[in-house]
Amino acid sequence: MFNYEPPADLLKDKTILVTGAGSGIGRAASLAYAKVGATVILLGSKTGKLETVYDEIEKAGGAQPAITPLDLETAGEEQYLELITSIDNTFGKLDGLLNNAGFLGPLMPFQTMTMAHWQKIMQINLNSAFALTKFCFPLLQQGENPSVVFSSSTAGRKAFAYSSAYTVAKHGIETLMQVLFLELENTSSIRVNTVNPGPCATALRRAAYPAEDPASLPKPEDLMSVYLYLMGKDSLGQNGKQFSAQD
């Protein structure tokens, strides 16, 4: 596992937007960021799940979070602009963005995948990460030592059969991060990195591998060290790199 012990005030006075915040890695990251002082903006498609995470953060004594429901499968430019305007009016900045929302769906051969299924996976896993990073850019520039973290996958670093769209989307995430690094390294304080969480006990994993015993896998909250590290000041020298939560 990635070894890092964050100080208790690592993200004090920081505002961080987390996508896919209602469950899995996104939920765990939201709770972890709030625990070390961040104000977390919870983004997801299911308001009920976001409200549960909101309550968990408040119960644990974290700073009051914000909820911003958004369906990344159907969101267009107008919805993204409304989101950014709302964040700007409320907070005036972003110090961090965790592009984490993901969808895998059932494994299937390439030739049986429908266009609709392919497009859904691309929209949620890749296109939304591009859009959110693009539209959040002005707010991130107002933040202090801003960090953009992309949740990748083992499928983003090598090819897998029967998950063609997901594998291509996650390879796209890795390449998007590298392109952003090359464009921003000499012109912006924003740093960008990817994290491969590795196999862990999430609903996304269970949908793809229903016969697998979730108890044999680490839980999302066990993988938070690298996500905390990359959002805080201790990682200021890290930019354009691929990290793994379980190495």
Side-chain angles (χ1 to χ4, degrees):
M1 293 289 184
F2 188 91
N3 186 22
Y4 173 69
E5 188 65 36
D9 61 348
L10 177 71
L11 300 177
K12 187 176 185 294
D13 299 326
K14 302 289 187 182
T15 302
I16 298 175
L17 173 62
V18 177
T19 75
S23 62
I25 295 289
R27 170 187 169 275
S30 298
L31 293 169
Y33 294 154
K35 185 177 180 179
V36 292
T39 297
V40 184
I41 304 171
L42 306 167
L43 187 151
S45 61
K46 294 180 173 60
T47 303
K49 288 187 175 182
L50 299 179
E51 289 174 343
T52 297
V53 179
Y54 182 106
D55 291 343
E56 288 182 280
I57 289 173
E58 287 214 313
K59 185 176 180 180
Q64 183 179 26
I67 290 178
T68 178
L70 185 66
D71 187 342
L72 296 177
E73 182 183 357
T74 59
E77 185 166 337
E78 182 179 349
Q79 287 74 38
Y80 285 114
L81 288 172
E82 289 175 355
L83 168 68
I84 299 313
T85 299
S86 175
I87 294 173
D88 190 16
N89 290 340
T90 304
F91 300 103
K93 63 160 187 171
L94 274 178
D95 301 290
L97 167 62
L98 173 57
N99 281 305
N100 169 77
F103 174 76
L104 173 57
L107 303 183
M108 65 183 72
F110 170 83
Q111 66 269 26
T112 64
M113 182 173 292
T114 65
M115 284 293 296
H117 189 67
W118 177 279
Q119 289 167 353
K120 178 177 182 176
I121 291 174
M122 288 296 165
Q123 191 68 20
I124 295 172
N125 291 285
L126 179 57
N127 296 347
S128 68
F130 157 76
L132 279 166
T133 306
K134 169 185 169 62
F135 288 111
C136 286
F137 194 85
L139 290 173
L140 287 162
Q141 287 184 304
Q142 299 303 313
E144 182 181 2
N145 301 317
S147 174
V148 177
V149 178
F150 298 87
S151 277
S152 182
S153 168
T154 306
R157 298 178 185 179
K158 68 178 184 178
F160 284 87
Y162 307 113
S163 60
S164 55
Y166 185 78
T167 296
V168 171
K170 288 302 186 180
H171 273 74
I173 284 292
E174 294 286 357
T175 303
L176 174 61
M177 180 276 289
Q178 292 167 22
V179 169
L180 288 173
F181 165 68
L182 293 173
E183 292 189 8
L184 300 177
E185 64 172 326
N186 296 318
T187 61
S188 173
S189 61
I190 300 172
R191 63 191 192 278
V192 293
N193 297 281
T194 59
V195 173
N196 171 20
C200 60
T202 63
L204 183 148
R205 178 81 182 182
R206 288 194 297 275
Y209 301 97
E212 186 176 56
D213 180 7
S216 68
L217 302 172
K219 297 177 181 179
E221 50 265 36
D222 298 329
L223 309 177
M224 287 300 106
S225 288
V226 65
Y227 285 93
L228 287 162
Y229 172 70
L230 289 174
M231 279 298 176
K233 60 184 179 180
D234 293 328
S235 62
L236 288 180
Q238 306 294 347
N239 198 2
K241 296 182 179 180
Q242 297 174 314
F243 288 81
S244 295
Q246 298 191 46
D247 286 353

